[in-house]
Amino acid sequence: MSRRPRRAPHQHVKLQGSPENIQVVVRIRPLSDAECPGSTTHPLVGPSLIVNAAENTVNGMMFDRVLTPQDGQQAAFHAVRPAVESWLEGYNGCVLAYGHTGSGKTHTMLGPEGGKKNLDGVIPQIATYALERIANEERDFRELHGELNAAVDGHAAATTERRNGGRQAAAGCTSQMRLVATYVELYNDELRDLLTDAKSQGVSIVGAAAETLAIRERSPNDVFVEGATECVIRSVDDLMCVVAVAAQRRATGRTNMNAHSSRSHAILGLHMQ
Protein backbone atom coordinates (compact mmCIF):
# COMPACT_ATOMS: atom_id res chain seq x y z
CA MET A 1 0.00 0.00 0.00
CA SER A 2 1.47 3.33 -0.95
CA ARG A 3 0.48 6.95 -1.00
CA ARG A 4 2.36 10.22 -0.82
CA PRO A 5 2.51 11.58 2.74
CA ARG A 6 0.46 14.55 3.82
CA ARG A 7 2.56 15.33 6.84
CA ALA A 8 6.01 16.85 6.75
CA PRO A 9 8.72 14.29 5.89
CA HIS A 10 10.43 14.69 9.28
CA GLN A 11 7.33 13.67 11.21
CA HIS A 12 7.38 10.04 12.29
CA VAL A 13 4.10 8.17 12.42
CA LYS A 14 3.76 5.17 14.70
CA LEU A 15 1.03 2.57 14.56
CA GLN A 16 -1.74 3.15 17.04
CA GLY A 17 -1.47 1.23 20.27
CA SER A 18 2.18 0.23 19.85
CA PRO A 19 5.53 2.00 20.30
CA GLU A 20 6.84 0.17 17.23
CA ASN A 21 6.06 0.43 13.53
CA ILE A 22 6.07 -3.36 13.16
CA GLN A 23 3.39 -5.44 14.84
CA VAL A 24 3.02 -9.22 14.90
CA VAL A 25 -0.50 -10.62 15.15
CA VAL A 26 -1.05 -14.36 15.38
CA ARG A 27 -4.36 -15.85 14.32
CA ILE A 28 -5.33 -19.32 15.48
CA ARG A 29 -7.64 -21.39 13.35
CA PRO A 30 -9.49 -24.51 14.53
CA LEU A 31 -7.53 -27.74 14.17
CA SER A 32 -8.52 -29.91 11.24
CA ASP A 33 -9.37 -33.60 11.53
CA ALA A 34 -6.10 -34.51 9.81
CA GLU A 35 -3.97 -32.69 12.36
CA CYS A 36 -2.46 -34.25 15.45
CA PRO A 37 -4.97 -34.13 18.30
CA GLY A 38 -2.12 -33.90 20.80
CA SER A 39 -1.11 -30.43 19.63
CA THR A 40 -3.28 -27.70 21.08
CA THR A 41 -3.18 -23.95 21.48
CA HIS A 42 -4.55 -22.00 24.44
CA PRO A 43 -4.68 -18.22 24.03
CA LEU A 44 -4.56 -16.35 27.31
CA VAL A 45 -5.93 -12.95 28.22
CA GLY A 46 -3.83 -10.42 26.34
CA PRO A 47 -1.08 -11.03 23.78
CA SER A 48 0.26 -14.24 25.33
CA LEU A 49 0.10 -17.70 23.78
CA ILE A 50 0.98 -21.12 25.16
CA VAL A 51 1.58 -24.03 22.81
CA ASN A 52 1.59 -27.64 24.02
CA ALA A 53 3.71 -29.14 21.25
CA ALA A 54 4.42 -32.51 22.89
CA GLU A 55 4.24 -34.30 26.19
CA ASN A 56 5.61 -32.14 28.99
CA THR A 57 6.64 -29.49 26.46
CA VAL A 58 5.11 -26.04 26.91
CA ASN A 59 6.23 -23.01 24.93
CA GLY A 60 5.15 -19.51 25.91
CA MET A 61 5.18 -16.67 23.36
CA MET A 62 4.25 -12.99 23.30
CA PHE A 63 2.71 -11.12 20.37
CA ASP A 64 1.17 -7.72 19.80
CA ARG A 65 -2.20 -9.43 19.52
CA VAL A 66 -3.66 -12.94 19.50
CA LEU A 67 -6.80 -13.75 17.50
CA THR A 68 -8.59 -16.89 18.66
CA PRO A 69 -10.71 -19.26 16.53
CA GLN A 70 -13.74 -17.38 17.87
CA ASP A 71 -12.52 -14.04 16.46
CA GLY A 72 -14.06 -13.29 13.08
CA GLN A 73 -12.83 -11.50 9.98
CA GLN A 74 -13.78 -8.11 11.38
CA ALA A 75 -11.33 -8.67 14.23
CA ALA A 76 -8.62 -9.50 11.68
CA PHE A 77 -9.27 -6.22 9.86
CA HIS A 78 -9.30 -4.32 13.15
CA ALA A 79 -5.83 -5.74 13.88
CA VAL A 80 -4.37 -4.26 10.68
CA ARG A 81 -6.45 -1.08 10.68
CA PRO A 82 -3.66 1.08 12.22
CA ALA A 83 -1.50 0.33 9.17
CA VAL A 84 -4.44 1.20 6.89
CA GLU A 85 -5.01 4.49 8.69
CA SER A 86 -1.31 5.39 8.32
CA TRP A 87 -1.51 4.51 4.61
CA LEU A 88 -4.51 6.77 4.11
CA GLU A 89 -2.56 9.56 5.80
CA GLY A 90 0.14 9.19 3.15
CA TYR A 91 2.60 6.61 4.46
CA ASN A 92 3.57 3.23 3.07
CA GLY A 93 2.17 0.19 4.83
CA CYS A 94 2.44 -3.56 4.47
CA VAL A 95 0.22 -6.40 5.66
CA LEU A 96 2.17 -9.66 5.37
CA ALA A 97 0.33 -12.95 5.79
CA TYR A 98 2.89 -15.56 6.81
CA GLY A 99 2.29 -19.21 7.65
CA HIS A 100 2.63 -22.75 6.42
CA THR A 101 0.33 -24.32 3.84
CA GLY A 102 -3.21 -24.59 5.13
CA SER A 103 -2.73 -22.14 8.01
CA GLY A 104 -5.51 -19.87 6.75
CA LYS A 105 -3.65 -17.09 4.93
CA THR A 106 -6.02 -16.95 1.94
CA HIS A 107 -9.09 -17.22 4.18
CA THR A 108 -7.87 -14.32 6.30
CA MET A 109 -6.78 -12.06 3.46
CA LEU A 110 -9.53 -12.75 0.90
CA GLY A 111 -12.29 -14.59 2.75
CA PRO A 112 -13.82 -18.06 2.35
CA GLU A 113 -12.80 -19.75 -0.91
CA GLY A 114 -10.58 -16.83 -1.85
CA GLY A 115 -13.39 -14.27 -1.66
CA LYS A 116 -15.84 -16.20 -3.83
CA LYS A 117 -18.42 -16.64 -1.05
CA ASN A 118 -18.37 -13.19 0.51
CA LEU A 119 -16.21 -10.11 0.85
CA ASP A 120 -15.22 -10.28 4.51
CA GLY A 121 -11.49 -10.88 3.98
CA VAL A 122 -8.94 -8.31 5.09
CA ILE A 123 -8.17 -7.14 1.53
CA PRO A 124 -11.82 -6.50 0.54
CA GLN A 125 -12.34 -4.70 3.85
CA ILE A 126 -9.30 -2.50 3.22
CA ALA A 127 -10.62 -1.65 -0.25
CA THR A 128 -14.08 -0.87 1.11
CA TYR A 129 -12.61 1.37 3.78
CA ALA A 130 -10.37 3.19 1.28
CA LEU A 131 -13.15 3.69 -1.28
CA GLU A 132 -15.43 5.09 1.41
CA ARG A 133 -12.67 7.51 2.39
CA ILE A 134 -12.29 8.60 -1.24
CA ALA A 135 -16.06 9.13 -1.55
CA ASN A 136 -16.12 11.18 1.66
CA GLU A 137 -13.20 13.35 0.58
CA GLU A 138 -14.74 13.92 -2.85
CA ARG A 139 -18.01 14.91 -1.17
CA ASP A 140 -16.16 17.34 1.08
CA PHE A 141 -14.36 18.72 -1.97
CA ARG A 142 -17.64 19.31 -3.81
CA GLU A 143 -19.06 21.12 -0.78
CA LEU A 144 -15.94 23.28 -0.55
CA HIS A 145 -16.12 23.88 -4.29
CA GLY A 146 -19.72 25.06 -3.95
CA GLU A 147 -18.83 27.37 -1.08
CA LEU A 148 -15.97 28.83 -3.11
CA ASN A 149 -18.25 29.55 -6.07
CA ALA A 150 -20.82 31.12 -3.76
CA ALA A 151 -18.13 33.30 -2.21
CA VAL A 152 -16.91 34.42 -5.63
CA ASP A 153 -20.45 35.23 -6.84
CA GLY A 154 -21.29 37.10 -3.65
CA HIS A 155 -18.20 39.27 -3.55
CA ALA A 156 -19.73 42.70 -4.09
CA ALA A 157 -16.43 44.44 -4.61
CA ALA A 158 -15.24 42.14 -7.40
CA THR A 159 -15.59 43.22 -11.00
CA THR A 160 -17.49 41.06 -13.47
CA GLU A 161 -14.26 40.06 -15.15
CA ARG A 162 -12.62 39.09 -11.89
CA ARG A 163 -15.76 37.29 -10.75
CA ASN A 164 -15.97 35.23 -13.93
CA GLY A 165 -12.28 34.51 -13.76
CA GLY A 166 -12.66 33.33 -10.19
CA ARG A 167 -15.55 31.07 -11.14
CA GLN A 168 -13.55 29.54 -13.95
CA ALA A 169 -10.62 28.91 -11.63
CA ALA A 170 -12.90 27.29 -9.07
CA ALA A 171 -14.62 25.19 -11.73
CA GLY A 172 -11.24 23.99 -12.96
CA CYS A 173 -10.42 22.45 -9.59
CA THR A 174 -11.27 18.78 -9.49
CA SER A 175 -10.69 15.95 -7.03
CA GLN A 176 -8.42 13.41 -8.69
CA MET A 177 -8.09 10.76 -5.99
CA ARG A 178 -8.26 7.20 -7.21
CA LEU A 179 -7.35 3.72 -6.03
CA VAL A 180 -5.02 1.71 -8.27
CA ALA A 181 -4.03 -1.94 -7.85
CA THR A 182 -1.03 -3.93 -9.03
CA TYR A 183 -0.57 -7.67 -8.56
CA VAL A 184 2.75 -9.45 -9.06
CA GLU A 185 4.29 -12.69 -7.87
CA LEU A 186 7.81 -13.57 -6.90
CA TYR A 187 8.51 -17.00 -8.34
CA ASN A 188 11.96 -18.56 -8.72
CA ASP A 189 13.54 -15.19 -7.90
CA GLU A 190 11.69 -13.50 -10.77
CA LEU A 191 8.84 -11.00 -10.76
CA ARG A 192 5.81 -11.87 -12.91
CA ASP A 193 2.90 -9.60 -13.71
CA LEU A 194 -0.36 -11.35 -12.81
CA LEU A 195 -2.64 -8.78 -14.45
CA THR A 196 -1.60 -8.90 -18.09
CA ASP A 197 -5.03 -10.36 -18.93
CA ALA A 198 -7.00 -7.90 -16.80
CA LYS A 199 -8.04 -5.66 -19.70
CA SER A 200 -9.75 -8.55 -21.46
CA GLN A 201 -11.85 -9.05 -18.31
CA GLY A 202 -13.22 -5.52 -18.47
CA VAL A 203 -10.88 -4.00 -15.87
CA SER A 204 -9.83 -0.38 -16.45
CA ILE A 205 -6.07 -0.21 -17.08
CA VAL A 206 -3.75 2.76 -16.55
CA GLY A 207 -0.98 2.83 -19.14
CA ALA A 208 0.63 -0.24 -20.68
CA ALA A 209 2.42 -3.11 -18.97
CA ALA A 210 6.06 -3.88 -19.74
CA GLU A 211 7.51 -7.24 -20.72
CA THR A 212 9.94 -7.17 -17.80
CA LEU A 213 9.41 -5.88 -14.28
CA ALA A 214 11.94 -4.11 -12.09
CA ILE A 215 11.90 -2.75 -8.56
CA ARG A 216 12.58 0.99 -8.63
CA GLU A 217 12.78 3.78 -6.10
CA ARG A 218 11.43 7.26 -6.80
CA SER A 219 12.53 8.49 -3.38
CA PRO A 220 13.75 6.87 -0.15
CA ASN A 221 10.12 6.19 0.85
CA ASP A 222 8.60 5.45 -2.56
CA VAL A 223 9.44 1.99 -3.88
CA PHE A 224 7.44 0.58 -6.78
CA VAL A 225 7.46 -2.17 -9.41
CA GLU A 226 8.21 -0.59 -12.76
CA GLY A 227 6.26 -2.05 -15.66
CA ALA A 228 3.48 -3.69 -13.63
CA THR A 229 -0.08 -3.43 -14.93
CA GLU A 230 -2.06 -0.82 -13.00
CA CYS A 231 -5.81 -1.35 -12.64
CA VAL A 232 -8.22 1.36 -11.52
CA ILE A 233 -10.35 0.17 -8.59
CA ARG A 234 -13.73 1.88 -8.39
CA SER A 235 -15.49 -0.78 -6.32
CA VAL A 236 -14.75 -3.89 -4.29
CA ASP A 237 -16.08 -5.93 -7.21
CA ASP A 238 -13.34 -4.40 -9.39
CA LEU A 239 -10.75 -5.50 -6.87
CA MET A 240 -12.10 -9.05 -6.64
CA CYS A 241 -12.08 -9.25 -10.44
CA VAL A 242 -8.39 -8.29 -10.31
CA VAL A 243 -7.80 -11.00 -7.69
CA ALA A 244 -9.58 -13.59 -9.84
CA VAL A 245 -7.52 -12.68 -12.92
CA ALA A 246 -4.32 -12.94 -10.88
CA ALA A 247 -5.32 -16.30 -9.41
CA GLN A 248 -5.62 -17.78 -12.89
CA ARG A 249 -2.07 -16.82 -13.75
CA ARG A 250 -0.40 -17.75 -10.50
CA ALA A 251 2.15 -20.54 -10.51
CA THR A 252 0.68 -23.20 -8.24
CA GLY A 253 1.84 -26.55 -7.01
CA ARG A 254 0.08 -29.51 -5.46
CA THR A 255 0.80 -30.50 -1.88
CA ASN A 256 -0.71 -33.00 0.51
CA MET A 257 -2.44 -30.37 2.64
CA ASN A 258 -3.82 -28.01 0.03
CA ALA A 259 -4.21 -28.88 -3.64
CA HIS A 260 -4.30 -25.20 -4.61
CA SER A 261 -1.41 -24.04 -2.46
CA SER A 262 1.03 -21.78 -4.26
CA ARG A 263 4.78 -22.06 -4.11
CA SER A 264 5.17 -18.41 -5.06
CA HIS A 265 4.78 -15.16 -3.16
CA ALA A 266 1.82 -13.04 -4.31
CA ILE A 267 2.09 -9.28 -3.79
CA LEU A 268 -1.04 -7.16 -4.16
CA GLY A 269 -0.30 -3.45 -4.16
CA LEU A 270 -2.92 -0.79 -3.46
CA HIS A 271 -1.87 2.72 -4.40
CA MET A 272 -3.78 5.90 -3.58
CA GLN A 273 -3.15 8.46 -6.29
Side-chain angles (χ1 to χ4, degrees):
M1 299 182 292
S2 66
R3 187 181 179 185
R4 292 183 180 180
R6 291 182 177 178
R7 296 190 179 94
H10 66 276
Q11 289 183 305
H12 184 62
V13 177
K14 293 183 178 180
L15 297 182
Q16 301 174 10
S18 172
E20 302 294 336
N21 277 335
I22 298 177
Q23 294 187 7
V24 179
V25 179
V26 60
R27 188 178 193 187
I28 306 166
R29 63 159 176 76
L31 295 175
S32 68
D33 296 336
E35 292 170 324
C36 177
S39 179
T40 59
T41 56
H42 302 283
L44 304 178
V45 177
S48 303
L49 184 68
I50 293 179
V51 179
N52 297 329
E55 293 183 5
N56 301 322
T57 301
V58 177
N59 298 321
M61 291 165 282
M62 292 288 294
F63 300 92
D64 291 285
R65 185 168 180 178
V66 175
L67 300 179
T68 72
Q70 290 72 40
D71 291 318
Q73 296 286 71
Q74 191 64 32
F77 171 70
H78 184 73
V80 304
R81 183 171 172 177
V84 178
E85 293 287 358
S86 295
W87 166 55
L88 291 173
E89 287 298 320
Y91 292 85
N92 293 335
C94 176
V95 179
L96 173 65
Y98 178 82
H100 62 75
T101 298
S103 59
K105 300 184 295 297
T106 301
H107 177 91
T108 296
M109 298 304 291
L110 295 175
E113 296 186 10
K116 295 178 181 179
K117 279 191 174 181
N118 55 53
L119 301 176
D120 66 352
V122 168
I123 289 174
Q125 288 191 73
I126 290 175
T128 299
Y129 194 76
L131 291 169
E132 288 177 352
R133 177 69 67 86
I134 291 175
N136 291 337
E137 293 198 11
E138 288 182 342
R139 181 197 61 205
D140 294 342
F141 178 85
R142 288 193 298 269
E143 292 177 354
L144 179 62
H145 187 192
E147 292 174 0
L148 179 59
N149 275 335
V152 170
D153 288 339
H155 200 291
T159 63
T160 301
E161 181 179 356
R162 290 176 59 192
R163 183 166 59 249
N164 290 338
R167 174 184 287 276
Q168 291 171 0
C173 297
T174 58
S175 176
Q176 298 180 348
M177 292 181 61
R178 66 181 179 184
L179 186 63
V180 173
T182 59
Y183 213 147
V184 300
E185 74 167 344
L186 180 62
Y187 185 65
N188 288 339
D189 294 329
E190 293 183 359
L191 284 173
R192 299 175 65 244
D193 193 341
L194 297 176
L195 299 179
T196 54
D197 298 332
K199 189 173 183 179
S200 63
Q201 302 297 322
V203 180
S204 179
I205 303 298
V206 181
E211 293 184 2
T212 58
L213 306 180
I215 297 177
R216 303 296 187 191
E217 189 176 28
R218 295 190 184 96
S219 65
N221 296 319
D222 190 4
V223 179
F224 68 102
V225 179
E226 184 181 55
T229 303
E230 295 184 338
C231 301
V232 179
I233 305 300
R234 298 186 177 90
S235 67
V236 179
D237 288 340
D238 284 348
L239 179 63
M240 299 315 293
C241 181
V242 164
V243 170
V245 170
Q248 294 175 359
R249 288 186 55 84
R250 242 188 123 184
T252 58
R254 207 172 271 272
T255 69
N256 291 331
M257 290 191 66
N258 189 340
H260 300 285
S261 175
S262 176
R263 295 175 181 175
S264 67
H265 301 281
I267 306 169
L268 170 66
L270 295 177
H271 313 272
M272 193 75 77
Q273 298 179 348

